[in-house]
Amino acid sequence: MANVLIVDDSVSMRKLVGGTLEDAGHQVVEAEDGVVALGVAKQKSVDLVITDVNMPNMDGLTLVEELRKLGTYKFTPILVLTTETDPERKSLAKSRGATGWLVKPFDPALLLATMKKVLN
C-alpha cells in the first residue's frame, strides 16, 4: 500500500479523500496548502501526492512545480484533484509536472483506479 500526501485547504475534503484511501489500506499524510505540503515532502518521502489547485499561501500548480525541483519527487506521481475544468489550467498542470487531473466531486472508485494506474 502507498503513503499518500493529500493537500487541500478544505478539512472536510482532506478527510473525505483520506478516509477513502485509508479504507483501501493506504497511509495518509495531510497538508492544508502548498507551503505546508512542501515542508512535509522535504521531511518525509511519500509514494503519491494528491493536491487541490486553489489554496492560500501556495497553490497546487506551484506546488507541483516545486516538488519536481526536488530530486526525490522528480518521478513521484502527482494527481491534481480540483473543481476546475478549464482545459488551459489542466494543460498548465501537465506542463508543470502533474501526472493526472481529477475533478471534484470525485468518484472514490475512479480515484483508487487512477492511483493504482499511476503507482504501477
Side-chain angles (χ1 to χ4, degrees), residues 14-79:
R14 288 196 313 266
K15 297 299 179 198
L16 188 60
V17 174
T20 298
L21 301 187
E22 289 172 342
D23 287 348
H26 300 289
Q27 294 184 340
V28 172
V29 180
E30 297 179 13
E32 65 267 25
D33 63 39
V35 172
V36 175
L38 196 56
V40 170
K42 289 178 179 176
Q43 295 178 354
K44 184 173 186 156
S45 178
V46 298
D47 304 308
L48 171 71
V49 177
I50 300 173
T51 184
D52 188 15
V53 171
N54 298 309
M55 299 179 288
N57 303 317
M58 180 189 293
D59 67 39
L61 300 185
T62 302
L63 174 63
V64 171
E65 190 171 40
E66 292 299 315
L67 287 172
R68 292 301 185 211
K69 291 177 184 175
L70 302 175
T72 53
Y73 284 88
K74 189 171 182 178
F75 300 109
T76 301
I78 303 173
L79 297 177

Side-chain angles (χ1 to χ4, degrees), residues 94-114:
K94 187 173 182 176
S95 72
R96 290 188 178 187
T99 309
W101 181 280
L102 297 169
V103 177
K104 298 175 188 171
F106 70 98
D107 174 352
L110 178 61
L111 176 61
L112 293 172
T114 303

Side-chain angles (χ1 to χ4, degrees), residues 6-20:
I6 300 170
V7 190
D8 198 304
D9 59 331
S10 166
V11 174
S12 60
M13 184 54 67
R14 288 196 313 266
K15 297 299 179 198
L16 188 60
V17 174
T20 298

